[in-house]
DNA sequence: GTGAAAGCGCTAACAG
DNA sequence: CTGTTAGCGCTTTCAC
């Protein structure tokens, strides 16, 4: 089936192409309703759909957006970010070109070229982990950075408020009565971990709890890494062992669960734990379900798209927009044990708890 | 900065636009290298990049593909599928429009209209779960269905070979010596679960093991569902209890781990388990790591794109292309216990095993 | 109220 | 070997 053109509609309706264009675009003009209807009927009859390509060439506006992302396959976060951006784009009648670079600079360069050639109306440069990136050459100045900030600024950007997230997480623990709170850190995510640690320190400070460097241990960001690191804390003498731990992420928190269980410690009775990321498949399915801090991926994606499209006026080139990370309360936080539990001693009062 | 046009390059190089076009597109023509170089230099000098929009209008080929997907935010699989499609598109110089419909029919309709208006060269209709879908109106006949098949056929499609996957999974268990093998089923994924069950039956049959209906139990697809369902099997008398279980998916397998641990059963010493999906964050991080069957999302995405773009000639409109699901061997399968382990009895020979 | 015509930036006959 | 020119399908002045 060959596409119907605007001239086909004009011929069918017995009017000029100008009239058809005016009617199709609802341009304010005093074309009588009768004519409009005739045009619309003709359009439907010939199966007319205007060509965005021709319109784009004429108006120099394509109603398309380019979204360049460094990863997409390897993280469960990508989808929510894309969904947010997507929804915002759709709401204002735009289509999005998605390019996954896998961190390859050559692919990235080509993508920028191709997207520019397509004359996208806006561009978003996204990362799947909050970090500082060197802005690639050739990006339009109006590009919005998503979940990353360009080194040296110069672009609008949105990132999670990891400091406030860490603060909220630890406040949760402080409010439950804990005073010996550990921070399960990592060296694999410099920006995010530093900010979360800052929040941790702030929460302790406002509660007049001294920051004990011994309670900060680091591991890699996996469950295994979390377990190995936290095990070192469990080796501490009873009166120095933490009664609660704030973990850099949910996966490490899973390692804490394992380490605790192997010592006969029950969560949250003997140990409270808070994670970060709110990974559905992990946090919600633990036993007990993990209290954690959610990363606002959907909201960030939406914000970036709205700013890129000019729907939202916000966005400062010199300061990243900070997006709130809400605490998701589940079952892994409780009051501290009256007396620190002895390792390897199973309690008789053990109550089963299903996920 | 205003875009440079082809005429700018022509003027700068002192040639006609034809020459520039010929050079830029490497058209076979006897333009001397000297001229070619002059044109290329001029193009670089004025910062020329050809407009895909204008070219698209002229050639009626946009080098873009539309990918409509029912979900993207809520599944960890989406990314791999997109990555596969993406990579194939990039390799043949195409850009992909991604549209996430969230299963909303109105959004889907609009997406098809918008994508057609953009004159995409090809279209892919993707689902995130293997199933049969009603093909929406307006899809071009050349559309390729990804991880789903259209009711009534008529389109090319690619889906995982769930039957063969189930067969391979259970063969794994049979090869380890098991004869009482359970199937942890679900009612939430009709197509996939039926096919996997078919594979299960086939594996048992070829090993002359009778199919025992009592060893098939169903639950919802979560860890909780898996645990609840499998618990019923653990209630069976010792000599009827399965020594191995093939689970519909990895999440349910996690429930099996939990159920087993609560009875003092150790995996794989007392119970062997095989999952399905190979969800990285789940399967690989269990203790012991879960042996499972991988869903070939990347390969399916790539296949669909290659077929849609005509890079690959395969693809039958009347039969879905079946993609192999490889077994990923990890640590959850072992020989059956010499004698069925008694529930709630901890063995002394317990050896610790880290993830 | 409606139409003619120019032109968006490019490719590809066709001439020369 | 290179240039002239006619559109691709649409929007938008400007005339009538």
């Amino acid at each position: 089936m060959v596409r119907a053109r605007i001239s086909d509609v004009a011929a069918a309706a017995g009017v000029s192409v100008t009239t058809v264009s005016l009617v199709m675009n609802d341009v304010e003009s005093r074309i009588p309703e009768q004519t409009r209807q005739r045009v619309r009927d003709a359009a439907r009859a010939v199966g007319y759909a205007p060509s965005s390509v021709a319109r784009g060439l004429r108006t120099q506006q394509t109603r398309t957006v380019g979204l360049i992302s460094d990863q997409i396959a390897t993280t469960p976060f990508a989808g929510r970010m894309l969904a947010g951006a997507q929804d915002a784009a759709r709401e204002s009648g735009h289509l999005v070109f998605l390019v996954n670079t896998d961190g390859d600079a050559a692919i990235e360069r080509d993508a920028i070229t191709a997207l520019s050639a397509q004359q996208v109306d806006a561009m978003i440069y996204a990362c799947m982990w909050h970090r500082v990136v060197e802005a690639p050459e050739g990006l339009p100045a109006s590009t919005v950075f998503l979940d990353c900030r360009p080194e040296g600024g110069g672009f609008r950007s949105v990132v999670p408020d990891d400091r406030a997230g860490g603060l909220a997480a630890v406040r949760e623990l402080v409010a439950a009565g804990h005073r010996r709170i550990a921070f399960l850190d990592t060296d694999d995510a410099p920006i995010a971990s530093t900010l979360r640690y800052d929040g941790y320190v702030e929460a302790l400070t406002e509660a007049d709890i001294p920051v004990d460097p011994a309670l900060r241990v680091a591991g890699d960001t996996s469950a295994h890494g979390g377990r190995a690191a936290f095990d070192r804390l469990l080796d501490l003498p009873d009166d120095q062992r933490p009664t609660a731990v704030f973990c850099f992420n949910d996966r490490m928190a899973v390692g804490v669960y394992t380490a605790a269980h192997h010592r006969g410690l029950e969560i949250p009775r003997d140990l409270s734990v808070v994670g970060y990321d709110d990974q559905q498949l992990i946090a919600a399915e633990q036993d007990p379900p993990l209290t954690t801090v959610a990363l606002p991926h959907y909201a960030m994606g939406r914000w970036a798209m709205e700013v890129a499209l000019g729907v939202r006026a916000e966005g400062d080139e010199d300061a990243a927009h900070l997006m709130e990370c809400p605490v998701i309360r589940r079952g892994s936080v409780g009051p501290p044990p009256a007396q620190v539990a002895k390792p390897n001693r199973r309690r008789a009062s053990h109550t089963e708890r299903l996920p």
Side-chain angles (χ1 to χ4, degrees), chain A residues 223 227 231 234 253-264 267 286:
Chain A
R227 176 177 178 177
D231 252 338
L234 290 180
V254 170
V256 167
Y257 272 57
T258 312
H261 289 152
H262 273 254
R263 306 256 181 165
I267 296 168
Q286 294 305 306

Side-chain angles (χ1 to χ4, degrees), chain A residues 310-349:
Chain A
V311 175
R312 182 190 281 265
E314 296 172 60
D316 182 341
E317 293 193 357
D318 299 316
H321 181 81
L322 263 25
M323 206 68 108
E324 189 194 350
C325 302
V327 171
I328 308 296
R329 292 187 184 79
R330 285 197 269 251
S332 61
V333 172
Q339 169 187 339
V340 175
K342 289 263 194 290
N344 299 320
R345 180 164 59 87
R346 282 221 159 227
R347 307 248 172 153
S349 65

Side-chain angles (χ1 to χ4, degrees), chain A residues 200-239:
Chain A
Y200 161 86
V201 169
E202 192 173 335
L204 294 188
T205 305
E206 70 182 16
D208 282 325
I209 300 173
V211 176
D212 178 357
L215 292 183
R216 179 189 191 180
V217 288
D220 66 67
T221 59
S222 69
H224 197 176
R227 176 177 178 177
F230 194 65
D231 252 338
R232 301 209 299 275
L233 253 25
L234 290 180
D235 287 337
L236 252 33
D238 278 17
D239 59 344

Side-chain angles (χ1 to χ4, degrees), chain A residues 15-31:
Chain A
V15 297
S16 74
V17 294
T18 307
T19 307
V20 178
S21 176
L22 260 24
V23 171
M24 297 304 287
N25 295 303
D26 273 321
V27 171
E28 127 85 314
S29 161
R30 249 147 297 297
I31 294 177

Side-chain angles (χ1 to χ4, degrees), chain A residues 59-70:
Chain A
T59 62
Q60 296 297 83
Q61 300 228 65
T62 56
R63 310 212 68 112
T64 62
V65 194
L67 173 16
I68 298 180
S69 145
D70 64 340

Side-chain angles (χ1 to χ4, degrees), chain A residues 25-108:
Chain A
N25 295 303
D26 273 321
V27 171
E28 127 85 314
S29 161
R30 249 147 297 297
I31 294 177
E33 180 55 30
Q34 192 189 353
T35 309
R36 309 180 85 87
Q37 198 50 53
R38 195 146 43 88
V39 170
R40 277 194 282 261
D41 289 345
R44 198 168 315 112
V46 302
Y48 174 68
S51 157
S52 300
V53 179
R55 173 187 291 159
L57 177 59
R58 176 63 234 233
T59 62
Q60 296 297 83
Q61 300 228 65
T62 56
R63 310 212 68 112
T64 62
V65 194
L67 173 16
I68 298 180
S69 145
D70 64 340
Q71 281 184 34
I72 186 180
T74 45
T75 135
F77 303 141
R80 301 222 305 276
M81 220 141 94
L82 289 179
Q86 195 76 210
D87 287 352
R90 182 172 39 73
E91 286 164 18
S92 58
H94 288 255
L95 235 28
V96 3
F97 278 120
L98 177 65
V99 181
N100 177 215
T101 66
D102 257 330
D104 182 316
I107 295 182
E108 189 169 281

